[in-house]
Amino acid sequence: MITFFLARADNGVIGMDNGLPWHLPADLKRFKALTMGKPMIMGRKTFQGFPALLKGRRHIVLTRDTEWQAPGAEVAHDAERALALAGYAAEVAVIGGAEIFAMYRDRTDRVELTEVHCSPHGDTCVPAFAAPQWRETFREDHVPDGDRPGFSFVTLERAR
């Protein structure tokens, strides 16, 4: 099963300057809990945006650069090779960025989405996951807190 894990603002923004345009500790905690023990497929820029390797998870990095390598990264140069590296995992976590989400969008079974209720400026966007292709199976709403925007944890399943 392929699952997307992402936070997306109301205007589609998922990133700015290889980072997030918000800081939501609850989202980071949920991301860690849901991805722990899973192979994660990501683009090179997403990988390079981490301050360190994320413990307890494999880092499969898709890049066009055939010379690129980094400690802790398993490198793939196409979407099929990245899945092959993930092996027979029950669930593969695709964690971004936008180009990587686009590569796997038609093959994804589930989306673990944090809807961030704001419209920040950003340089990376992902289109909405809308019906009839997707159906919501879980929602947990959180109100704004100080300078942090409100957000909702949402699980979407592909409609079959």
Side-chain angles (χ1 to χ4, degrees):
M1 175 184 344
I2 298 173
T3 303
F4 283 178
F5 292 86
L6 72 151
R8 181 183 179 277
D10 292 338
N11 62 352
V13 167
I14 65 165
M16 179 65 191
D17 296 329
N18 292 327
L20 299 173
W22 49 75
H23 179 67
L24 297 172
D27 175 52
L28 299 174
K29 183 177 178 180
R30 181 174 189 252
F31 175 83
K32 180 179 181 180
L34 293 176
T35 60
M36 187 59 68
K38 296 178 175 66
M40 299 182 306
I41 295 175
M42 68 202 79
R44 180 187 46 78
K45 289 179 187 176
T46 297
F47 177 83
Q48 290 175 325
F50 295 149
L53 291 174
L54 303 181
K55 293 181 182 174
R57 291 155 278 188
R58 290 175 51 210
H59 298 70
I60 300 169
V61 180
L62 263 165
T63 178
R64 290 181 204 94
D65 183 347
T66 57
E67 302 298 316
W68 186 85
Q69 53 185 309
E74 299 174 56
V75 181
H77 302 296
D78 62 63
E80 289 306 315
R81 178 66 182 141
L83 285 176
L85 284 172
Y88 297 100
E91 184 176 12
V92 176
V94 174
I95 65 167
E99 287 184 47
I100 306 306
F101 289 131
M103 279 183 200
Y104 290 103
R105 190 169 179 115
D106 291 339
R107 299 168 66 175
T108 298
D109 304 291
R110 186 171 69 223
V111 178
E112 293 293 349
L113 175 66
T114 300
E115 294 177 343
V116 184
H117 303 305
C118 63
S119 293
H121 177 71
D123 56 18
T124 309
C125 296
V126 167
F129 299 92
Q133 216 174 11
W134 297 97
R135 62 183 176 84
E136 187 175 305
T137 59
F138 173 82
R139 175 175 290 270
E140 180 182 289
D141 297 321
H142 298 264
V143 297
D145 183 16
D147 63 347
R148 293 187 176 123
F151 59 94
S152 300
F153 292 142
V154 179
T155 300
L156 302 168
E157 302 278 344
R158 183 175 296 279
R160 302 270 182 215

